[in-house]
Amino acid sequence: MLSEKLQGALNVQMKNEFFSAYLYLAIAGYFESEDLPGIASWMRIQALEELTHGEKFFNFITEAGGRTDLRGFEAPQNDFGSPLAAFQYSLEHERFVTDSINKLMDLARDESNHAAQIFLQWFVTEQVEEESNFGLILRKLERIGNDGNGLLRLDEELGARTFVAPAPAPAPAPA
């Protein structure tokens, strides 16, 4: 059901999703060190979401008759000059993920793998939300500038986020 090329690309994306979780935990650590526990909590929840995304790839690959290939990755950046810099970095990372998902969708379409296209559609939609969320927070941080009170209000706002497990991806159609 999965070509070798598509299986390999799905495994790379699975690695990217797990790396994203690791990256957002690193950023959460940065915010903890800056005494911004609400933003740190927001990033921890983001890391949990990314773990579930990686698991979705793992499950799809195995359910589609493929073989998972867990791969290592480099340590993420752990220090940022400011909250603004951390969110700028995060938004750029999400744009990288969006590009990767889009290329995967193109490959699935080129191979006429309808099950993979249906699976990946969830991620295409998810990336619109991810970029929107990070972009909104980034714009708020730009408006806040050096206003400590504004940063504390944003910390409180982001600290209200709760983890909601994403809906399971559709299972591949039987062969």
mmCIF file of all heavy atoms in Angstrom, residues 42 87 91 94-95 98 125-140:
data_model
loop_
_atom_site.group_PDB
_atom_site.id
_atom_site.type_symbol
_atom_site.label_atom_id
_atom_site.label_comp_id
_atom_site.label_asym_id
_atom_site.label_seq_id
_atom_site.Cartn_x
_atom_site.Cartn_y
_atom_site.Cartn_z
ATOM 1 N N TRP A 42 1.883 26.632 27.995
ATOM 2 C CA TRP A 42 1.374 26.639 26.624
ATOM 3 C C TRP A 42 2.300 25.833 25.712
ATOM 4 O O TRP A 42 1.846 25.021 24.904
ATOM 5 C CB TRP A 42 1.250 28.090 26.132
ATOM 6 C CG TRP A 42 0.469 28.248 24.871
ATOM 7 C CD1 TRP A 42 -0.862 28.528 24.753
ATOM 8 C CD2 TRP A 42 0.969 28.154 23.527
ATOM 9 N NE1 TRP A 42 -1.217 28.605 23.429
ATOM 10 C CE2 TRP A 42 -0.111 28.382 22.653
ATOM 11 C CE3 TRP A 42 2.216 27.890 22.980
ATOM 12 C CZ2 TRP A 42 0.023 28.360 21.271
ATOM 13 C CZ3 TRP A 42 2.352 27.861 21.601
ATOM 14 C CH2 TRP A 42 1.273 28.094 20.752
ATOM 15 N N PHE A 87 9.103 32.979 19.818
ATOM 16 C CA PHE A 87 7.928 32.771 18.974
ATOM 17 C C PHE A 87 8.234 33.000 17.498
ATOM 18 O O PHE A 87 7.628 32.355 16.639
ATOM 19 C CB PHE A 87 6.744 33.617 19.467
ATOM 20 C CG PHE A 87 5.953 32.897 20.529
ATOM 21 C CD1 PHE A 87 6.254 33.062 21.860
ATOM 22 C CD2 PHE A 87 4.932 32.021 20.185
ATOM 23 C CE1 PHE A 87 5.547 32.379 22.841
ATOM 24 C CE2 PHE A 87 4.214 31.333 21.147
ATOM 25 C CZ PHE A 87 4.527 31.507 22.482
ATOM 26 N N LEU A 91 7.415 30.076 14.863
ATOM 27 C CA LEU A 91 6.627 30.269 13.643
ATOM 28 C C LEU A 91 7.408 29.807 12.421
ATOM 29 O O LEU A 91 6.854 29.150 11.535
ATOM 30 C CB LEU A 91 6.196 31.736 13.493
ATOM 31 C CG LEU A 91 5.367 32.043 12.238
ATOM 32 C CD1 LEU A 91 4.105 31.188 12.172
ATOM 33 C CD2 LEU A 91 5.024 33.539 12.195
ATOM 34 N N GLU A 94 7.174 26.107 12.315
ATOM 35 C CA GLU A 94 5.867 25.648 11.825
ATOM 36 C C GLU A 94 5.751 25.825 10.316
ATOM 37 O O GLU A 94 5.135 25.000 9.643
ATOM 38 C CB GLU A 94 4.728 26.364 12.549
ATOM 39 C CG GLU A 94 4.532 25.906 13.978
ATOM 40 C CD GLU A 94 4.220 24.417 14.113
ATOM 41 O OE1 GLU A 94 3.573 23.839 13.216
ATOM 42 O OE2 GLU A 94 4.629 23.831 15.132
ATOM 43 N N ARG A 95 6.351 26.861 9.782
ATOM 44 C CA ARG A 95 6.346 27.035 8.313
ATOM 45 C C ARG A 95 7.145 25.920 7.640
ATOM 46 O O ARG A 95 6.769 25.444 6.565
ATOM 47 C CB ARG A 95 6.893 28.409 7.954
ATOM 48 C CG ARG A 95 5.909 29.511 8.302
ATOM 49 C CD ARG A 95 6.443 30.884 7.990
ATOM 50 N NE ARG A 95 5.429 31.901 8.257
ATOM 51 C CZ ARG A 95 5.691 33.135 8.583
ATOM 52 N NH1 ARG A 95 6.960 33.561 8.672
ATOM 53 N NH2 ARG A 95 4.719 33.997 8.809
ATOM 54 N N THR A 98 4.860 22.931 7.701
ATOM 55 C CA THR A 98 3.827 23.095 6.670
ATOM 56 C C THR A 98 4.377 22.726 5.300
ATOM 57 O O THR A 98 3.739 21.987 4.539
ATOM 58 C CB THR A 98 3.297 24.539 6.657
ATOM 59 O OG1 THR A 98 2.688 24.818 7.925
ATOM 60 C CG2 THR A 98 2.289 24.756 5.540
ATOM 61 N N THR A 125 -4.783 20.865 7.195
ATOM 62 C CA THR A 125 -5.686 21.747 7.939
ATOM 63 C C THR A 125 -5.080 22.151 9.275
ATOM 64 O O THR A 125 -5.155 23.320 9.686
ATOM 65 C CB THR A 125 -7.044 21.045 8.155
ATOM 66 O OG1 THR A 125 -7.566 20.665 6.873
ATOM 67 C CG2 THR A 125 -8.030 21.937 8.876
ATOM 68 N N GLU A 126 -4.471 21.205 9.957
ATOM 69 C CA GLU A 126 -3.847 21.469 11.258
ATOM 70 C C GLU A 126 -2.760 22.535 11.137
ATOM 71 O O GLU A 126 -2.619 23.400 12.009
ATOM 72 C CB GLU A 126 -3.263 20.174 11.836
ATOM 73 C CG GLU A 126 -2.493 20.327 13.125
ATOM 74 C CD GLU A 126 -3.340 20.672 14.341
ATOM 75 O OE1 GLU A 126 -4.576 20.696 14.244
ATOM 76 O OE2 GLU A 126 -2.743 20.943 15.402
ATOM 77 N N GLN A 127 -1.995 22.504 10.057
ATOM 78 C CA GLN A 127 -0.906 23.469 9.910
ATOM 79 C C GLN A 127 -1.422 24.883 9.707
ATOM 80 O O GLN A 127 -0.767 25.841 10.122
ATOM 81 C CB GLN A 127 0.035 23.052 8.771
ATOM 82 C CG GLN A 127 0.981 21.941 9.159
ATOM 83 C CD GLN A 127 1.740 22.220 10.443
ATOM 84 O OE1 GLN A 127 1.604 21.475 11.417
ATOM 85 N NE2 GLN A 127 2.532 23.281 10.481
ATOM 86 N N VAL A 128 -2.592 25.038 9.109
ATOM 87 C CA VAL A 128 -3.185 26.376 9.001
ATOM 88 C C VAL A 128 -3.425 26.911 10.411
ATOM 89 O O VAL A 128 -3.085 28.060 10.730
ATOM 90 C CB VAL A 128 -4.491 26.344 8.180
ATOM 91 C CG1 VAL A 128 -5.207 27.690 8.242
ATOM 92 C CG2 VAL A 128 -4.206 25.940 6.739
ATOM 93 N N GLU A 129 -3.977 26.060 11.278
ATOM 94 C CA GLU A 129 -4.237 26.450 12.666
ATOM 95 C C GLU A 129 -2.939 26.733 13.422
ATOM 96 O O GLU A 129 -2.845 27.720 14.159
ATOM 97 C CB GLU A 129 -5.019 25.342 13.376
ATOM 98 C CG GLU A 129 -5.333 25.655 14.815
ATOM 99 C CD GLU A 129 -6.012 24.502 15.539
ATOM 100 O OE1 GLU A 129 -6.655 23.664 14.893
ATOM 101 O OE2 GLU A 129 -5.866 24.439 16.776
ATOM 102 N N GLU A 130 -1.939 25.883 13.230
ATOM 103 C CA GLU A 130 -0.666 26.064 13.947
ATOM 104 C C GLU A 130 -0.027 27.406 13.587
ATOM 105 O O GLU A 130 0.381 28.159 14.473
ATOM 106 C CB GLU A 130 0.306 24.924 13.617
ATOM 107 C CG GLU A 130 -0.152 23.550 14.035
ATOM 108 C CD GLU A 130 -0.011 23.263 15.514
ATOM 109 O OE1 GLU A 130 0.015 24.202 16.328
ATOM 110 O OE2 GLU A 130 0.075 22.081 15.848
ATOM 111 N N GLU A 131 0.066 27.685 12.300
ATOM 112 C CA GLU A 131 0.680 28.949 11.890
ATOM 113 C C GLU A 131 -0.134 30.143 12.370
ATOM 114 O O GLU A 131 0.432 31.163 12.774
ATOM 115 C CB GLU A 131 0.867 28.991 10.375
ATOM 116 C CG GLU A 131 1.994 28.114 9.886
ATOM 117 C CD GLU A 131 2.353 28.359 8.433
ATOM 118 O OE1 GLU A 131 2.256 29.525 7.964
ATOM 119 O OE2 GLU A 131 2.735 27.389 7.751
ATOM 120 N N SER A 132 -1.455 30.018 12.345
ATOM 121 C CA SER A 132 -2.314 31.100 12.815
ATOM 122 C C SER A 132 -2.097 31.359 14.299
ATOM 123 O O SER A 132 -1.962 32.516 14.725
ATOM 124 C CB SER A 132 -3.779 30.744 12.542
ATOM 125 O OG SER A 132 -4.631 31.731 13.082
ATOM 126 N N ASN A 133 -2.054 30.304 15.111
ATOM 127 C CA ASN A 133 -1.859 30.468 16.559
ATOM 128 C C ASN A 133 -0.521 31.116 16.880
ATOM 129 O O ASN A 133 -0.452 32.059 17.679
ATOM 130 C CB ASN A 133 -1.958 29.118 17.269
ATOM 131 C CG ASN A 133 -3.366 28.581 17.300
ATOM 132 O OD1 ASN A 133 -4.336 29.317 17.149
ATOM 133 N ND2 ASN A 133 -3.491 27.275 17.495
ATOM 134 N N PHE A 134 0.543 30.603 16.272
ATOM 135 C CA PHE A 134 1.861 31.179 16.544
ATOM 136 C C PHE A 134 1.941 32.615 16.028
ATOM 137 O O PHE A 134 2.534 33.481 16.677
ATOM 138 C CB PHE A 134 2.974 30.314 15.936
ATOM 139 C CG PHE A 134 3.350 29.146 16.797
ATOM 140 C CD1 PHE A 134 2.817 27.892 16.557
ATOM 141 C CD2 PHE A 134 4.232 29.295 17.854
ATOM 142 C CE1 PHE A 134 3.159 26.807 17.355
ATOM 143 C CE2 PHE A 134 4.583 28.224 18.663
ATOM 144 C CZ PHE A 134 4.038 26.972 18.410
ATOM 145 N N GLY A 135 1.349 32.867 14.868
ATOM 146 C CA GLY A 135 1.366 34.219 14.316
ATOM 147 C C GLY A 135 0.638 35.220 15.200
ATOM 148 O O GLY A 135 1.103 36.347 15.400
ATOM 149 N N LEU A 136 -0.504 34.812 15.744
ATOM 150 C CA LEU A 136 -1.263 35.698 16.618
ATOM 151 C C LEU A 136 -0.462 36.043 17.873
ATOM 152 O O LEU A 136 -0.385 37.207 18.273
ATOM 153 C CB LEU A 136 -2.599 35.050 17.002
ATOM 154 C CG LEU A 136 -3.464 35.836 17.992
ATOM 155 C CD1 LEU A 136 -3.870 37.190 17.421
ATOM 156 C CD2 LEU A 136 -4.696 35.013 18.368
ATOM 157 N N ILE A 137 0.137 35.038 18.488
ATOM 158 C CA ILE A 137 0.936 35.295 19.690
ATOM 159 C C ILE A 137 2.126 36.186 19.354
ATOM 160 O O ILE A 137 2.459 37.117 20.104
ATOM 161 C CB ILE A 137 1.387 33.976 20.344
ATOM 162 C CG1 ILE A 137 0.167 33.207 20.863
ATOM 163 C CG2 ILE A 137 2.383 34.248 21.485
ATOM 164 C CD1 ILE A 137 0.457 31.771 21.236
ATOM 165 N N LEU A 138 2.740 35.947 18.227
ATOM 166 C CA LEU A 138 3.873 36.769 17.797
ATOM 167 C C LEU A 138 3.448 38.232 17.626
ATOM 168 O O LEU A 138 4.141 39.147 18.095
ATOM 169 C CB LEU A 138 4.446 36.204 16.495
ATOM 170 C CG LEU A 138 5.680 36.872 15.929
ATOM 171 C CD1 LEU A 138 6.831 36.821 16.917
ATOM 172 C CD2 LEU A 138 6.073 36.187 14.627
ATOM 173 N N ARG A 139 2.304 38.458 16.994
ATOM 174 C CA ARG A 139 1.824 39.836 16.814
ATOM 175 C C ARG A 139 1.512 40.494 18.162
ATOM 176 O O ARG A 139 1.774 41.691 18.346
ATOM 177 C CB ARG A 139 0.609 39.863 15.885
ATOM 178 C CG ARG A 139 0.979 39.565 14.428
ATOM 179 C CD ARG A 139 -0.175 39.778 13.466
ATOM 180 N NE ARG A 139 -1.356 38.973 13.756
ATOM 181 C CZ ARG A 139 -1.510 37.688 13.415
ATOM 182 N NH1 ARG A 139 -0.544 37.058 12.776
ATOM 183 N NH2 ARG A 139 -2.631 37.050 13.695
ATOM 184 N N LYS A 140 0.981 39.713 19.100
ATOM 185 C CA LYS A 140 0.727 40.262 20.442
ATOM 186 C C LYS A 140 2.041 40.655 21.109
ATOM 187 O O LYS A 140 2.135 41.718 21.731
ATOM 188 C CB LYS A 140 -0.026 39.253 21.305
ATOM 189 C CG LYS A 140 -1.485 39.106 20.923
ATOM 190 C CD LYS A 140 -2.189 38.101 21.818
ATOM 191 C CE LYS A 140 -3.651 37.977 21.454
ATOM 192 N NZ LYS A 140 -4.386 37.078 22.382
#
